[in-house]
Amino acid sequence: MNGSEFVPLSLVPMLIGICVAIACALPGNFLLLRRQALIGDAISHVVLPGIVVAFLLTGLVASVPMLLGAAGAALVAVAAIEAIRRLGKIEPGAAMGVVFTTMFAGGVLLLEMSDTSSVHLDVEHALYGNLESLIWLDATGWSSLWDPEALAHLPVELPRMATALVAVVLFIAVFWRPLKISTFDEGFARTMGLRTGPLGLALVVVAAIAAVAAFDAVGSIIVIAMFICPPAAARLMTNRLETQIAWSVLFATLAAVIGYVLAGYGPLWLGAQDSVSAAGMIATVSGVLVAGVALMGPARN
Amino acid sequence: MIWEALFLGLGYNATLVTLGACILGIAGGFGGSFLFLRKRALVSDAVSHATLPGVGLAFVLMVGLGGDGRNLIGLLAGGAVTAAIGLLCVNWLSTRTRLAEDAAIGAVLSVFFGFGVVVLTYIQTMSSGQQAGLEGFLLGSTAGMLQSDALVLVFAAALTLGLVLILRRPLTLVAFDPDFALATGRNVNRIDLAMMGIVLAVTVVGLKIVGLILIVALLIIPPVTARFWTDRVDRLLLGAGVFGGVSGYVGAAISAAVPDMPTGPIIVLVSFALFLVSLLCAPGRGVVSSVVQHRQYQRRVHLRQGLLALAQGQPIYERLTQRLMEQRGLIRGDGVATQAGRAHAAKALLDEARWHVVRSDQTYAAAALHYDGLTEMNSVLTPDQIREIDARLPAPQVMLP
């Protein structure tokens, strides 16, 4: 494979995939240790009604209203889960199940009842995304990376996703100590005067930002997988948080690269004509990684 | 149209689907109750997502064998196989590794669903036209269903419901008190496995009607709804069955009557509407009733404190207390006690003095537990006991002005 083919067709989707994977895996580490692993699952379901409502209100498939709508829906969901848990004295898992299924159903219904067929907005797209289509038509080869003309026509998803990744990294770097302490010993963190409540909420919001930014490009399924699988595999490798985070970044990158390559070229090697879903394949590879580590990882018990 | 649909007037197929959804809802409510009581509601999420690769692979297999790939029984069987594998993976990951159950659920659901998507995109490339109907498994679609398919669904739903009813006793026992079940020599693991089998059956039967993403709702929402209405396990089961059945029936009827209404989302939204009404209006645990109870409690506390203040000759400054006491004719507008007010205040003070004796005497330890500053003594102790306590009260002293 040469540069004139790889750079326009595969480089950008692969970079986006890597950004998504790392941006989701980083907060996923903390969510996993806090027993909130399924927050990512809930967020990625409730993002759909937010996006649909934003579209119906503005009539635009623009990124800013959609991001706002999705973030709003995520906050509504967190508030609703908390309200049901407190008002109804219902355990968190069940409260979460009530909220995210209902909001997803509402989003689907809105989609079906309104005329969104003219735009690229449907349930399958929301679930699978369309990573493969984010090609960089203006690139001609590796040299395009230094060509401002071509760089100006990069798919907007790449800078957007890179920004989200930087935001996630910054959040974790700035709040590293309080995050670490409150994750392992919330009581101790509180006696030290840390405000664990707002910190936990901030973590969920950061996770939501990563999920929402990723949603349009890659769909929800890969988001859920990246929130959970790389951190889970990393958890089985080590007892130290720092090492776990490093492993999770490595696993996330591996899943994104191997998954993308297998989706794009795997079927060709097997003699089939067309590629399969890259998002689905990345999720599948991350599962294979978890399975491998669960069978052989040094700290699996 | 809606009324016709609710009274099954839209033809044989729609009637079958509506009944099937109703039976499925009842089975989902029952099965979900056991999960809910075991605090494992979200396991069903992993199970349902894990059906997707099975449905896709069954399609590929059936086409490979020369069929048209759309046989409903074959597709559901495929879904059941991968869902069972997913379930085993959740169990294995959460018991044999250090991963918690929620992480295991998330890993299994995302990976199986991702692989299912891979299989679906492969099917799309196989040959055009053949995959028609497979998307229906994501969100459920009953429109244009074959008559044989509808019959299969009703039959499978009825079978699932029968299974739940047969197994309800051991399941209830384990769900409610696993330690007791273990102590009485029951095989809790096997019963848990049976519970998962029921969840699996409900999920697979519900695939075509509600769709794999939303079938979870039929297992989670009805039991949570029923929980607002009762504290008893058998009534919880019954309520969950009723709520699930109504959701399935009404949801399927609406979707049959109104064009372009997807079945799954409507059923979920109907069941959420029932949940919302229960959250607000249920007696005891509902929001409205909690607010009312809180207000009543608040009034009793304020009245009691006001009476004690009167009895001790202290002025009352608190607005709510003043208003409550005025309304009941215990004080006048200027804060001076009325005849009735003085009588009630004396009684409150006497009660307080009696409680003081009760709480300082070990022989009344059981009665002393009822003390909350509000309970009247004669609702806890017999007249004889009260007389005995009165004998120990300090003799009344003449109050000098």
Side-chain angles (χ1 to χ4, degrees), chain B residues 8-315:
Chain B
L8 303 174
L10 287 182
Y12 183 63
N13 246 17
T15 301
L16 278 184
V17 167
T18 309
L19 289 181
C22 179
I23 302 174
L24 175 73
I26 299 173
F30 278 131
S33 298
F34 303 123
L35 271 186
F36 174 65
L37 291 172
R38 285 292 259 164
K39 295 193 172 33
R40 298 183 72 191
L42 287 173
V43 173
S44 57
D45 205 16
V47 172
S48 64
H49 282 77
T51 55
L52 186 63
V55 171
L57 289 175
F59 182 88
V60 173
L61 190 69
M62 286 190 287
V63 170
L65 292 175
D68 82 337
R70 268 177 289 178
N71 181 301
L72 184 64
I73 299 179
L75 295 176
L76 295 187
V81 170
T82 47
I85 297 173
L87 192 54
L88 292 178
C89 288
V90 170
N91 270 345
W92 184 77
L93 280 175
S94 54
T95 53
R96 294 295 167 81
T97 72
R98 56 159 68 161
L99 293 179
E101 187 164 49
D102 64 332
I105 290 170
V108 165
L109 88 83
S110 58
V111 170
F112 275 68
F113 194 77
F115 183 60
V117 169
V118 169
V119 176
L120 279 194
T121 49
Y122 171 70
I123 290 174
Q124 274 166 13
T125 67
M126 277 167 60
S127 59
S128 59
Q130 274 188 322
Q131 74 272 22
L134 275 197
E135 316 83 71
F137 284 99
L138 282 179
L139 300 166
S141 80
T142 54
M145 192 187 271
L146 298 176
Q147 218 155 70
S148 56
D149 287 353
L151 269 177
V152 167
L153 283 183
V154 173
F155 187 66
L159 211 63
T160 309
L161 182 57
L163 192 67
V164 177
L165 291 179
I166 292 171
L167 291 172
R168 73 184 185 285
R169 285 193 181 283
L171 285 175
T172 313
L173 185 65
V174 169
F176 190 62
D177 195 345
D179 293 332
F180 177 73
L182 199 63
T184 50
R186 274 162 225 261
N187 189 335
V188 172
N189 281 336
R190 197 180 298 163
I191 296 175
D192 267 344
L193 215 59
M195 174 175 81
M196 286 305 167
I198 285 173
V199 169
L200 192 74
V202 170
T203 308
V204 171
V205 177
L207 280 185
K208 188 69 187 169
I209 302 181
V210 191
L212 65 90
I213 301 176
L214 294 172
I215 182 67
V216 187
L218 269 194
L219 287 158
I220 294 182
I221 301 182
V224 175
T225 308
R227 183 69 187 88
F228 287 112
W229 296 89
T230 178
D231 289 324
R232 289 183 46 180
V233 183
D234 46 352
R235 289 189 193 156
L236 177 84
L237 281 169
L238 199 66
V242 170
F243 287 125
V246 170
S247 312
Y249 187 94
V250 175
I254 292 176
S255 117
V258 185
D260 293 337
M261 282 279 207
T263 322
I266 298 287
I267 292 180
V268 174
L269 290 176
V270 170
S271 107
F272 180 71
L274 293 174
F275 163 82
L276 212 56
V277 170
S278 307
L279 171 71
L280 293 176
C281 305
R285 291 172 66 103
V287 171
V288 173
S289 140
S290 306
V291 170
V292 169
Q293 275 172 11
H294 177 75
R295 291 289 297 256
Q296 279 173 349
Y297 180 75
Q298 195 182 21
R299 282 155 175 266
R300 286 175 62 200
V301 171
H302 277 267
L303 266 182
R304 179 81 174 186
Q305 293 302 321
L307 285 175
L308 288 177
L310 265 195
Q312 286 156 350
Q314 290 161 353

Side-chain angles (χ1 to χ4, degrees), chain A residues 179-200:
Chain A
L179 266 179
K180 184 176 174 180
I181 297 170
S182 69
T183 296
F184 284 108
D185 193 341
E186 189 156 1
F188 176 62
R190 237 181 274 129
T191 57
M192 283 179 61
L194 292 176
R195 302 186 44 184
T196 54
L199 190 66

Side-chain angles (χ1 to χ4, degrees), chain A residues 94-184:
Chain A
M96 196 190 268
V98 171
V99 170
F100 82 72
T101 52
T102 304
M103 288 184 71
F104 190 77
V108 172
L109 193 66
L110 279 178
L111 260 186
E112 300 278 330
M113 287 174 59
S114 52
D115 182 29
T116 50
S117 51
S118 55
V119 297
H120 205 55
L121 196 63
D122 55 58
V123 176
E124 276 87 33
H125 178 73
L127 290 171
Y128 316 160
N130 205 354
L131 194 53
E132 304 86 334
S133 70
L134 301 174
I135 48 181
W136 185 19
L137 283 175
D138 292 75
T140 50
W142 288 108
S143 57
S144 299
L145 289 178
W146 291 271
D147 179 5
E149 184 82 4
L151 282 176
H153 292 94
L154 265 179
V156 289
E157 283 83 1
L158 181 58
R160 194 194 300 160
M161 206 53 235
T163 314
L165 175 59
V166 169
V168 170
V169 171
L170 275 182
F171 171 78
I172 290 179
V174 169
F175 292 101
W176 172 257
R177 264 183 61 80
L179 266 179
K180 184 176 174 180
I181 297 170
S182 69
T183 296
F184 284 108

